[in-house]
Amino acid sequence: MWRACIRDLIGEGGGFSGEDHIRLGSKVRELSKGMVAQLHLALVMAIDARLLVLDEPTLGLDILYRKQFYDSLLNDYFDGSRTIVVTTHQVEDIQHVLTDLMFINRGRIVLSCTMEEFEWRYAEVTVRPEQVAAARALKPMQERQVLGRGVLLFDLKSNPVDRQQLAALGDVRTPSIADLFVAVMGNQMKDVRGAA
């Protein structure tokens, strides 16, 4: 499977993008940054391991290559008996494929949950200016402004607000992982500053 990916990358099938490939005899130092990253990824994928740990695996790749890499990782490498751990700051690229989520701050786990828990536990409500005070009274974990509207993020496990209460104030949705990360880490920084 991934051995075929390496063959594709070096000339037969066109690499992850279907167009770019590495010519046989090419020197690594002559390759673009993106092609070097692709070569490293293909070599890593050729390893038949039960546990694969990838640290920022798509750093340096454009969005097309990143998407194709993760699609290939799931479709060609993951078989249900393997575990893949990915650390990344580009969470929007992988949110749809995660089974578990963990945030680490200064070596401490500050959030750990399944994606199922993430879906029911966190809610974000976008409210009009006249509803902001009512939403604040429900004690959100974070508030920000977007295009003149208040966006408030709630942890429904630690603050059991009813989703229907939130819906009465505005549009409710599950936040992105990136938005939750900013809220959790922002609160961690406030706690550190408050303790100092």
Side-chain angles (χ1 to χ4, degrees), residues 74-88:
L74 286 178
N75 295 325
D76 299 334
Y77 187 77
F78 184 71
D79 63 5
S81 68
R82 293 183 169 121
T83 299
I84 303 170
V85 176
V86 178
T87 64
T88 185

Side-chain angles (χ1 to χ4, degrees), residues 42-84:
L43 291 171
V44 166
M45 295 299 106
I47 298 168
D48 186 20
R50 290 275 183 242
L51 172 64
L52 182 63
V53 179
L54 301 172
D55 182 22
E56 297 287 356
T58 58
L59 194 63
L61 296 179
D62 66 31
I63 192 163
L64 176 63
Y65 285 108
R66 291 193 313 258
K67 174 134 179 54
Q68 289 174 340
F69 168 74
Y70 285 117
D71 288 348
S72 295
L73 182 67
L74 286 178
N75 295 325
D76 299 334
Y77 187 77
F78 184 71
D79 63 5
S81 68
R82 293 183 169 121
T83 299
I84 303 170

Side-chain angles (χ1 to χ4, degrees), residues 10-180:
I10 60 173
E12 296 173 15
F16 290 124
S17 74
E19 297 172 6
D20 298 331
H21 62 271
I22 300 170
R23 291 184 316 275
L24 282 174
S26 296
K27 297 190 184 319
V28 173
R29 69 176 174 262
E30 296 170 353
L31 301 176
S32 69
K33 183 179 179 182
M35 292 306 293
V36 169
Q38 286 185 64
L39 177 60
H40 287 145
L41 292 172
L43 291 171
V44 166
M45 295 299 106
I47 298 168
D48 186 20
R50 290 275 183 242
L51 172 64
L52 182 63
V53 179
L54 301 172
D55 182 22
E56 297 287 356
T58 58
L59 194 63
L61 296 179
D62 66 31
I63 192 163
L64 176 63
Y65 285 108
R66 291 193 313 258
K67 174 134 179 54
Q68 289 174 340
F69 168 74
Y70 285 117
D71 288 348
S72 295
L73 182 67
L74 286 178
N75 295 325
D76 299 334
Y77 187 77
F78 184 71
D79 63 5
S81 68
R82 293 183 169 121
T83 299
I84 303 170
V85 176
V86 178
T87 64
T88 185
H89 289 90
Q90 298 169 327
V91 291
E92 63 280 354
D93 289 350
I94 62 170
Q95 182 164 348
H96 68 287
V97 301
L98 297 177
T99 58
D100 293 273
L101 178 65
M102 183 181 295
F103 296 161
I104 300 173
N105 188 11
R106 300 175 191 226
R108 281 191 30 239
I109 297 171
V110 295
L111 182 138
S112 179
C113 65
T114 66
M115 287 306 291
E116 289 175 357
E117 180 181 353
F118 167 77
E119 294 288 329
W120 66 258
R121 179 175 174 178
Y122 297 99
E124 190 173 75
V125 62
T126 303
V127 298
R128 289 185 188 81
E130 61 271 13
Q131 296 289 353
V132 169
R136 276 188 195 135
L138 298 175
K139 300 184 179 162
M141 63 183 292
Q142 187 216 30
E143 177 184 346
R144 67 185 194 281
Q145 293 292 313
V146 176
L147 300 174
R149 299 182 81 186
V151 180
L152 297 93
L153 198 148
F154 292 86
D155 179 347
L156 304 179
K157 183 176 180 181
S158 65
N159 177 11
V161 177
D162 187 87
R163 281 185 183 266
Q164 290 178 336
Q165 277 181 284
L166 297 177
L169 298 172
D171 299 323
V172 179
R173 68 180 187 94
T174 300
S176 69
I177 291 175
D179 288 337
L180 179 61

